[in-house]
């Protein structure tokens, strides 16, 4: 029997196509097809007769089972699950039979509008591919009267799932904030689509097909609830593992928070997240979203595939040229970002999706755009700020491919002598194409402090404010601004007096920077004569040269994993030796600490089949990975032992937990050096980044030549807070007294054997931490190249004797906030 169903408008208000909804899950049709309405009435009415199959505990969403089994989801507003029911009063219950036009939920529109990103209400039909949408409303709708959607069922088709094969069972503790609401359910559905097996999720005596978002939501699963998962079919084991992983992945109910880094609101000012510090005066140049018009139909699959291949080749060549040019200029951050783009161009999933679009009749450009934007929607909807910030990179790839296919649609923007670039978000290539001398600052509505544009801005010394919200897009071309990224504020209408004051301050800062640079090559000696080594953290020889130019005394950390990532096989021993030797050659006689490979945790390489781990930060990483792959470790150690002179080399070992691991590694170095006939040995150091290493520093120092504190990991392991979790960002502070006590223990343990201790984590770059570290007995600080002059200048104004006495008293305080408050009193310039 053919099913025809008419859905009526649930609210009065204008109809809105789903693709215009500000939520990538709905806009990408991941939940199904349908329409949205901007509510202008306060009572949600049933769009058809049926049974209430699901009602969210928070009242913001429900599912109607219409005649014929059609599932209709109604979702009121965007991110409204986080309101915990405030503003919603359900008038029905699960199982109730309702008539078309019957009131379902009363909504306090004002209360919800103040706390949610949008009131737009989505009406979505599950399994939309089973229906033809023969009618879609446009314009103004009257609740309960105007037709919204008309749909007719296609012929029944198999879902593609297969129950033939083995059956596997498991459990998952749901990690999604708010439980299995719309977004997490859609992610589960997406995960299942990759498999042929049938997957069932069970909870509270009910079960749901994991391919049905509506069914999953109807289970009423909350965060931290335990659900049973059952998979049956030829690939049941893999399907079970994929669904369990998605269910247990933590995601926030709304957008990833950035408020912890944002400036407080100031009347008449635009506030945002300070991505790159600085002060600038300039005029607005709008870099609006790139949206080239594209032909829908292709000239045949063969021709369009070749068009896509040619574009990929051209862009790969251009990106590789960008990498080479950046490396020649010593622009390491820029080259790393281009390398990430190169990896995206080689992504098999994106390519396969584009080719499927071509095979269905689309032109290469449209197929490419749809494939990339579908991936953008997935990333933006995952609730992970770092992944969401990669959307700009994908859009940048889209722009470059389309230009390669069809040519540049328009000339670049006209720049002022001092331009403040304003955009929704900014693509890295858009920034690197513009003359640096004319770019005074950056302001974006979206983005984050860890995005690639933010990294580039910091590397280029361009003040940048991101995540300013939609108000940033109200800035008009040519408008004069004062951008104070230090305070996280934009003054959009500065007075002449404010412009004059800002110009004076900019000149003062520039003069100070020149003065610091002029004295940077001298040693950093405290007021009472203690020398502190100020070194640099680097990734390659170009960084080393930049460090020397800024006055670095040595290399405090060379991260060798940059040699291993973004490639299909491990670097050879010769490649490694060449890279390590180039660093030493760039240092003009200075020493270099080179860390052995730190792969695992948040850093992965495709050619190592590292096992999946429920908690990678506590799993196979650092030296543990080296011991698990002894051939790779031996190759790196041999490469290091081949550099000349070995007297300037210091090998640093990551993630050491006890002295047995250190003795094992030293024994391996001795054996290899003996095989190579070497009379000289490099120094060997231990990275103190797990609490056990700090507590056992006296044992480690007996067998090590030095210790280096990796404060980033030591902080997260000491506080048991994931340093990638944006919700905890305000609480993850290396000046926590617990961490300071561990550092004191490590320094004391090292001193028993006459060994020195350095700090190579972000703590060494924190001006407030510098006097504390010196007072605790730290002898070396390793920072980014541009910070060397600043840190040296700070050290020269400190008294070691005062630092020691005050650091001892700081250990008795009870919080990081108390420590920072006291530091501000003692060293206000820090």
């Amino acid at each position: 029997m053919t099913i025809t169903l008419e859905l009526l408008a649930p609210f009065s208000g204008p109809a809105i196509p789903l693709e215009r909804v500000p939520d990538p899950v709905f806009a990408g049709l991941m939940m199904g097809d349908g329409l949205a309405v901007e509510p202008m009435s306060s009572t949600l009415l049933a769009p058809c007769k049926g049974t209430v199959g699901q009602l969210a505990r928070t009242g913001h969403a429900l599912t109607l089972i219409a005649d014929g089994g059609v599932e209709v989801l109604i979702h009121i507003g965007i991110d409204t699950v986080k309101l915990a029911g405030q503003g919603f009063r359900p008038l029905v219950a699960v199982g109730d039979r309702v008539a078309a036009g019957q009131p379902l939920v009363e909504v306090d529109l004002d209360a919800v509008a103040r706390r949610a990103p949008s009131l737009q209400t989505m009406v979505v039909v599950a399994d939309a591919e089973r229906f033809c949408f023969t009618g879609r409303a446009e314009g103004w709708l009257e609740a309960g009267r105007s037709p919204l959607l008309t749909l007719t069922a296609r012929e029944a088709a198999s879902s593609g799932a297969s129950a033939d094969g083995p059956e596997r069972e498991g459990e998952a503790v749901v990690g999604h904030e708010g439980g299995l609401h719309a977004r997490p359910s859609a992610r589960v559905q997406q995960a299942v689509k990759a498999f042929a097996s049938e997957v069932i999720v069970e909870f509270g005596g009910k079960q749901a097909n994991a391919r049905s978002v509506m069914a999953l939501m109807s289970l009423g699963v909350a965060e931290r609830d335990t659900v049973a998962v059952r998979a049956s079919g030829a690939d049941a084991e893999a399907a079970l593992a994929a669904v369990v992983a998605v269910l247990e992945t933590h995601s926030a109910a709304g957008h990833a928070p950035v408020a912890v880094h944002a400036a407080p609101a100031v009347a008449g000012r635009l506030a945002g997240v300070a991505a790159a510090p600085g002060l600038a005066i300039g005029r607005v140049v709008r870099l609006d979203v790139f949206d080239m018009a594209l032909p829908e139909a292709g000239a045949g699959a063969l021709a369009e595939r070749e068009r896509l291949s040619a574009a990929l080749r051209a862009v790969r060549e251009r990106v590789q040229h960008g990498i080479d040019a950046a490396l020649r200029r010593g622009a390491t951050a820029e080259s790393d970002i281009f390398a990430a783009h190169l990896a995206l161009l080689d992504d098999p999933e994106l390519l396969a999706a584009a080719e499927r679009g071509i095979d269905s009749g689309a032109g290469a450009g449209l197929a490419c755009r749809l494939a990339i934007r579908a991936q953008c929607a997935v990333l933006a909807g995952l609730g992970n700020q770092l992944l969401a910030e990669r959307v700009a990179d994908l859009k940048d790839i889209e722009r470059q491919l389309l230009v390669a296919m069809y040519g540049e649609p328009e000339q670049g923007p006209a720049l002022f002598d001092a331009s403040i670039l304003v955009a929704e978000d900014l693509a890295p290539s858009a920034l690197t194409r513009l003359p640096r001398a004319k770019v005074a600052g950056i302001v974006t509505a979206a983005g984050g402090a860890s995005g690639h544009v933010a990294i580039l801005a910091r590397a280029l010394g361009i003040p940048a404010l991101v995540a300013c919200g939609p108000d940033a897009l109200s800035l008009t071309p040519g408008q004069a601004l004062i951008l104070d990224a230090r305070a996280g504020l934009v003054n959009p209408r500065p007075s002449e007096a404010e412009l004059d004051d800002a110009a004076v301050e900019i000149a003062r800062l520039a003069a100070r920077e020149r003065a610091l640079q002029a004295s940077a090559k001298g040693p950093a000696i405290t007021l009472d004569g203690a020398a502190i080594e100020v070194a640099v953290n680097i990734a390659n020889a170009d960084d080393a040269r930049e460090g020397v130019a800024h006055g670095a005394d040595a290399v405090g950390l060379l991260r060798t994993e940059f040699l291993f990532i973004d490639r299909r096989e491990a670097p050879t021993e010769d490649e490694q030796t060449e890279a390590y030797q180039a660093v030493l050659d760039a240092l003009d006689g200075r020493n270099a600490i080179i860390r052995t490979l730190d792969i695992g945790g948040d850093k992965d390489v495709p050619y190592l089949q590292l096992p999946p781990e429920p908690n990678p930060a506590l799993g196979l990483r650092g030296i543990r990975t080296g011991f698990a792959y002894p051939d790779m470790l031996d190759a790196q150690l041999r490469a290091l032992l081949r550099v000349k002179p070995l007297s300037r080399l210091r090998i640093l070992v990551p993630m050491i937990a006890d002295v047995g691991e250190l003795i094992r590694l030293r024994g391996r170095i001795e054996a290899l050096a003996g095989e190579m006939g070497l009379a000289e040995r490099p120094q060997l150091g231990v990275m103190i980044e797990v609490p056990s290493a700090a507590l056992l520093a006296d044992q480690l120092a007996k067998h090590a030549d030095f210790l280096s504190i990796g404060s980033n990991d030591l902080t997260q392991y000491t506080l048991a807070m994931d340093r990638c979790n944006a919700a905890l960002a305000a609480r993850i502070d290396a000046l926590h007294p617990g961490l300071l006590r561990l550092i004191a223990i490590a320094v004391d343990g090292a001193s028993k054997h006459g060994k020195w201790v350095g700090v190579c984590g972000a703590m060494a770059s924190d001006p407030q931490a510098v006097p504390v570290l010196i007072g605790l007995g730290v002898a070396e600080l390793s920072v980014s190249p541009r910070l060397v002059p600043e840190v040296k200048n700070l050290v020269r104004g400190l008294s070691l004797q005062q630092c020691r006495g005050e650091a001892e008293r700081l250990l008795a305080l009870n919080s990081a906030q108390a420590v920072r408050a006291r530091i501000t009193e003692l060293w206000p310039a820090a």
Side-chain angles (χ1 to χ4, degrees), residues 121-181:
T121 295
M122 286 63 66
V123 179
V124 174
V125 178
D127 297 329
E129 62 272 11
R130 293 174 43 219
F131 300 94
C132 294
F133 285 75
T134 55
R136 292 179 189 265
E138 296 181 358
W140 185 267
L141 305 174
E142 292 292 336
R145 300 179 59 184
S146 302
L148 181 76
L149 293 167
T150 305
L151 51 148
T152 303
R154 305 176 192 269
E155 290 186 14
S158 170
S159 68
S162 171
D164 296 332
E167 184 170 302
R168 298 288 184 267
E169 296 182 353
E171 287 188 343
V173 178
V174 174
H176 300 277
E177 185 180 327
L180 286 186
H181 53 94

Side-chain angles (χ1 to χ4, degrees), residues 532 709 711 734-735 739-740 743-744 747 757-782 798 800 803-804 807 810 823 827:
I532 303 296
I709 293 169
S711 61
L735 285 173
L739 189 80
L740 297 183
I743 295 173
V747 173
V757 178
V759 176
C760 61
M763 190 179 186
S765 300
D766 182 346
Q768 288 199 307
V770 170
V772 183
L773 292 172
I774 291 174
L776 291 175
V778 169
E780 179 237 41
L781 302 169
S782 192
L798 298 173
L800 176 60
C803 291
R804 282 176 175 166
L810 291 174
I823 292 171
W827 299 287

Side-chain angles (χ1 to χ4, degrees), residues 691-726:
S692 65
L695 295 170
L696 299 175
D698 58 335
Q699 297 179 13
L700 292 168
K702 185 177 179 181
H703 299 274
D705 297 300
F706 65 95
L707 306 181
S708 183
I709 293 169
S711 61
N712 301 350
D713 272 325
L714 186 60
T715 303
Q716 76 165 345
Y717 292 137
T718 301
L719 302 182
M721 294 181 185
D722 184 354
R723 59 191 172 100
C724 295
N725 188 329

Side-chain angles (χ1 to χ4, degrees), residues 499-526:
L499 288 169
D500 291 342
D501 289 345
V504 170
E505 177 66 4
I506 289 170
R508 186 190 70 80
L509 292 173
R512 181 177 183 273
E513 185 175 345
R514 289 192 297 272
L516 290 179
Q517 183 62 47
S519 63
K521 293 191 182 298
I525 300 176
T526 64

Side-chain angles (χ1 to χ4, degrees), residues 140-333:
W140 185 267
L141 305 174
E142 292 292 336
R145 300 179 59 184
S146 302
L148 181 76
L149 293 167
T150 305
L151 51 148
T152 303
R154 305 176 192 269
E155 290 186 14
S158 170
S159 68
S162 171
D164 296 332
E167 184 170 302
R168 298 288 184 267
E169 296 182 353
E171 287 188 343
V173 178
V174 174
H176 300 277
E177 185 180 327
L180 286 186
H181 53 94
R183 290 184 180 189
S185 299
R187 291 173 207 155
V188 173
Q189 181 199 60
Q190 291 298 309
V192 176
K193 285 183 178 179
F195 303 95
S197 294
E198 178 182 336
V199 181
I200 301 297
V201 179
E202 299 177 346
F203 178 74
K206 297 188 292 184
Q207 63 180 33
N209 184 337
R211 296 176 187 273
S212 170
V213 172
M214 312 303 172
L216 287 168
M217 290 193 298
S218 71
L219 293 176
V221 177
E223 182 182 1
R224 308 311 299 168
D225 279 344
T226 299
V227 300
V229 185
R230 179 163 39 87
S232 54
D235 51 5
E237 189 166 345
L240 175 68
V243 170
V244 168
V246 172
L247 288 168
E248 293 189 335
T249 299
H250 172 75
S251 68
H255 299 295
V258 296
V260 293
H261 302 293
V266 176
R269 301 293 189 268
L270 181 66
V273 175
L279 179 66
I281 299 171
R283 294 188 177 277
V284 171
V285 173
R286 289 292 300 269
L287 297 180
D288 291 313
V289 176
F290 177 86
D291 202 11
M292 179 190 294
L294 299 173
E296 293 190 10
L302 189 61
E304 296 300 327
R305 277 177 174 256
E306 178 52 37
R307 186 194 297 271
L308 176 60
S309 296
L312 285 167
R313 288 193 298 270
V315 176
R316 282 193 193 102
E317 183 177 343
R318 187 179 304 122
V319 171
Q320 186 61 59
H321 175 75
I323 293 173
D324 296 340
L327 288 175
R328 285 193 296 271
R329 298 195 310 274
T332 308

Side-chain angles (χ1 to χ4, degrees), residues 532-549:
I532 303 296
E533 186 174 86
V534 180
V536 281
N537 298 329
I538 67 169
N540 54 38
D542 295 295
D543 287 354
R545 280 185 281 273
E546 184 182 4
V548 170

Side-chain angles (χ1 to χ4, degrees), residues 422-504:
V422 176
E424 170 69 24
D425 205 351
L426 197 58
S429 69
L431 180 57
T432 56
R433 286 197 313 272
L434 300 175
R436 169 65 187 90
K438 291 195 171 186
V439 179
I442 296 168
V443 175
T444 66
S450 58
H452 279 161
V453 167
I455 294 170
L456 267 182
R458 290 193 290 270
L460 296 172
I462 301 174
L465 205 61
V466 300
C468 296
D471 287 348
L473 302 181
S474 65
L475 299 172
T476 58
Q479 180 178 350
L481 301 178
I482 296 175
L483 167 59
D484 189 350
R486 304 167 304 174
L489 297 171
V490 171
N491 183 347
R493 289 172 292 278
S495 66
E496 288 298 325
E498 289 171 327
L499 288 169
D500 291 342
D501 289 345
V504 170

